[in-house]
Amino acid sequence: MTVVPSSFRDPSGRLFWHEGKLYRTVTEQYIETYRAVRDSGLFEKLTADHRVVPFRERPAEEFPGLPGQAALILEPDLLPFISYPYEWSFGQLKDAALLTLDLHMAGLKKNFLLKDASAYNVQFCRGKPIFIDHLSFDRCDRYPVWPAYGQFCRHFLAPLVLMAKVDPGLNQLLKLHIDGIPLPLARKMVPTRRLLTLGLMIHFSSHARSQEKYADKGEIVKTVRTLSPRQMMNIALSLRETVSALDWQPAGTQWSEYYDGTNYSDQAMADKIRLMTDFIGAIPRPAMVWDFGGNTGVMSRAIRTSAGQIICFDLDPAAVETNYRLTKKNREDNILPLVMDFNNPSPGVGFASEERLSLGSRGRADLGMALALVHHMAISNNLPLAYLARYFASLCRYLIIEFVPREDSQVQRLLLSREDIFSQYTEDHFIEAFRDGFEICRREKIADSKRTLFLMKAN
């Protein structure tokens, strides 16, 4: 039995692993509220609509030695992959925000509310956001105002405004501010001329000024009056309208338009896809694929029927946003686009660096794909091939990897702006470096190109 570190702050219950399954305790403190929410039919409706993760109840007596006072155990369905808000594109964070508000409003109709509005309570499954914290609902009559209003603004509104109005990569600030981006900080970063809508003036600008004012004076703001569920609903509707109006169009970055300027011929692209499909057919069907540097998901889509879940990483928020919009348009429920820079992958953050897991701590892929990636990491970022080999071996059991030689026009383009100090960047040295961590199973030249595709198995 292993307690999940990310749940230690919640007095209503703790997450723990037991015999390969995930469970959540419901404490004596929360059990009455939980039963009221359950008996209202709210969980049944929200799980049927695929907005809340389905779960089953288990008696606490089945789990002796549980931490805390457990009155009941919940067994939620397992999700294939855990991601975090600083790994999401603009559209993903916006959809997660709208889901959170919709759940809060669904609760208000039955005299419940969301006492927590953390972005970490949302994950992505089958192409859509889904809520995972069944203990976040509480009775309205316990609160004079919506207690999660400030948290919603820090976790969702502030990063969305920064992404839409300043730069789409600014949700990376959530790595530094684990309970959301402070509104006074976010407000200082956005020009006033970009905030001239009623919703942003109320929930972003005025809210930020209020926080700054009372923080400076060290005063405690007391509730003037108690809000009814209808008044809380009006606030939620206003927030929903404000979030819905935020927009950002992904275009113009180097990587979001990568395939428009690639040196691949149609023949080379077709042969690369043929080889990838052939390679995947030669190994056990991968339930989990990580596409390292997957751009807009072209190669993920090429193999999506041969795999289970595909996590398509890229460092460019515009490429990831384009990919996410495609998954929604095409209803591709087994591709999850995420923002990830493999020169600086997501670390463990939070208390003891354990509340949010590093990428390598979230499991291991059955198959990794590193296509047209290694030359960028080795040349643009001076990463030794042996380091890359060791890291990839820790992340996946099989690896399809493309070697792009020095003679390729893409490598020549990288070398234009820097001294060529990469004497060991050769295919022979690449093979030597990767043999420390992998067995090379297949090696094939890609037709009409100078590139080579490898299938490797981690030692």
Side-chain angles (χ1 to χ4, degrees):
M1 189 176 298
T2 305
V3 175
V4 177
S6 62
S7 65
F8 73 90
R9 298 181 188 273
D10 188 355
S12 300
R14 300 287 300 274
L15 288 166
F16 66 95
W17 288 96
H18 180 64
E19 296 181 351
K21 294 183 178 181
L22 182 67
Y23 300 94
R24 184 189 293 274
T25 64
V26 182
T27 62
E28 293 286 355
Q29 174 181 334
Y30 186 75
I31 188 63
E32 181 183 345
T33 301
Y34 164 79
R35 287 173 176 152
V37 177
R38 180 198 61 193
D39 295 345
S40 74
L42 186 60
F43 286 140
E44 183 178 5
K45 174 72 167 80
L46 296 178
T47 54
D49 291 344
H50 305 290
R51 293 191 287 174
V52 171
V53 170
F55 65 95
R56 291 150 298 285
E57 293 183 357
R58 302 279 296 274
E61 293 74 25
E62 291 184 15
F63 304 87
L66 282 173
Q69 299 296 316
L72 186 68
I73 305 299
L74 307 184
E75 181 187 351
D77 286 359
L78 277 180
L79 301 179
F81 187 80
I82 296 297
S83 61
Y84 299 126
Y86 44 80
E87 297 166 349
W88 299 344
S89 70
F90 173 83
Q92 288 172 309
L93 186 63
K94 180 176 177 177
D95 286 348
L98 294 175
L99 171 68
T100 301
L101 290 171
D102 288 346
L103 296 184
H104 173 55
M105 291 189 289
L108 286 172
K109 292 176 181 178
K110 294 180 177 290
N111 289 315
F112 297 102
L113 51 69
L114 282 182
K115 62 180 180 179
D116 303 309
S118 168
Y120 298 97
N121 287 342
V122 180
Q123 288 297 321
F124 282 82
C125 183
R126 299 189 179 122
K128 297 179 180 180
I130 192 165
F131 197 77
I132 63 172
D133 190 356
H134 305 92
L135 311 188
S136 283
F137 291 93
D138 209 341
R139 295 200 305 267
C140 284
D141 57 17
R142 287 184 173 176
Y143 303 94
V145 295
W146 183 28
Y149 173 72
Q151 189 179 45
F152 179 88
C153 291
R154 295 191 304 272
H155 280 238
F156 290 110
L157 185 62
L160 282 171
V161 170
L162 291 175
M163 294 171 84
K165 307 293 184 180
V166 183
D167 186 274
L170 283 176
N171 62 329
Q172 296 292 306
L173 287 171
L174 291 167
K175 289 182 185 177
L176 301 176
H177 301 280
I178 194 167
D179 194 29
I181 302 172
L183 260 67
L185 171 63
R187 176 63 187 86
K188 291 173 184 177
M189 300 173 69
V190 187
T192 300
R193 67 180 183 278
R194 297 186 178 182
L195 300 171
L196 300 180
T197 68
L198 181 61
L200 290 179
M201 284 190 286
I202 293 172
H203 302 295
F204 188 76
S205 298
S206 297
H207 190 179
R209 283 195 297 270
S210 175
Q211 287 193 345
E212 204 165 28
K213 172 183 176 182
Y214 288 106
D216 289 344
K217 293 183 177 181
E219 296 180 14
I220 299 174
V221 183
K222 295 183 178 179
T223 302
V224 177
R225 59 191 177 92
T226 296
L227 300 181
S228 68
R230 167 45 59 187
Q231 290 168 317
M232 292 188 197
M233 180 74 79
N234 289 338
I235 292 172
L237 288 169
S238 174
L239 274 172
R240 199 184 198 288
E241 182 179 354
T242 301
V243 169
S244 296
L246 292 171
D247 189 31
W248 173 71
Q249 293 300 319
T253 65
Q254 177 184 1
W255 302 114
S256 65
E257 300 171 0
Y258 172 78
Y259 285 101
D260 295 338
T262 182
N263 63 352
Y264 263 111
S265 66
D266 290 344
Q267 181 184 356
M269 182 65 77
D271 195 52
K272 181 174 176 177
I273 293 172
R274 179 188 66 80
L275 288 172
M276 289 169 53
T277 304
D278 190 29
F279 286 1
I280 293 175
I283 65 175
R285 189 178 192 274
M288 176 64 71
V289 176
W290 289 1
D291 187 355
F292 310 115
N295 199 258
T296 56
V298 171
M299 294 304 170
S300 289
R301 285 179 177 82
I303 59 98
R304 66 178 294 262
T305 58
S306 302
Q309 177 72 52
I310 302 172
I311 313 299
C312 188
F313 301 104
D314 201 86
L315 60 81
D316 184 2
V320 176
E321 177 69 8
T322 299
N323 194 0
Y324 179 60
R325 294 185 183 196
L326 285 171
T327 64
K328 293 175 66 176
K329 177 183 177 182
N330 301 333
R331 297 184 178 180
E332 296 162 331
D333 60 4
N334 69 329
I335 297 177
L336 174 61
L338 292 175
V339 177
M340 185 77 67
D341 180 358
F342 277 91
N343 297 297
N344 183 26
S346 293
V349 298
F351 181 73
S353 301
E354 290 182 337
E355 287 187 74
R356 314 298 168 209
L357 299 175
S358 68
L359 176 63
S361 299
R362 285 178 248 174
R364 194 180 187 204
D366 300 304
L367 172 67
M369 301 196 307
L371 307 171
L373 175 67
V374 168
H375 59 295
H376 292 289
M377 300 181 76
I379 293 175
S380 299
N381 293 279
N382 285 22
L383 281 169
L385 292 171
Y387 282 44
L388 294 176
R390 185 163 61 245
Y391 187 51
F392 284 136
S394 73
L395 296 179
C396 56
R397 296 176 178 87
Y398 286 90
L399 176 67
I400 296 177
I401 187 167
E402 181 178 10
F403 181 77
V404 182
R406 183 186 303 274
E407 297 77 24
D408 189 277
S409 62
Q410 295 295 321
V411 176
Q412 290 298 310
R413 185 182 301 177
L414 293 177
L415 291 171
L416 282 176
S417 59
R418 61 181 310 162
E419 181 184 358
D420 187 355
I421 58 172
F422 305 98
S423 60
Q424 292 189 315
Y425 185 76
T426 66
E427 189 166 326
D428 287 343
H429 184 70
F430 167 84
I431 292 171
E432 179 185 346
F434 272 77
R435 272 186 173 146
D436 284 345
F438 290 92
E439 170 194 350
I440 297 176
C441 305
R442 294 276 299 275
R443 174 186 180 185
E444 301 283 351
K445 289 290 183 182
I446 299 173
D448 200 31
S449 80
K450 297 178 172 61
R451 305 181 177 197
T452 306
L453 202 64
F454 292 82
L455 173 64
M456 302 182 181
K457 181 180 181 181
N459 293 332

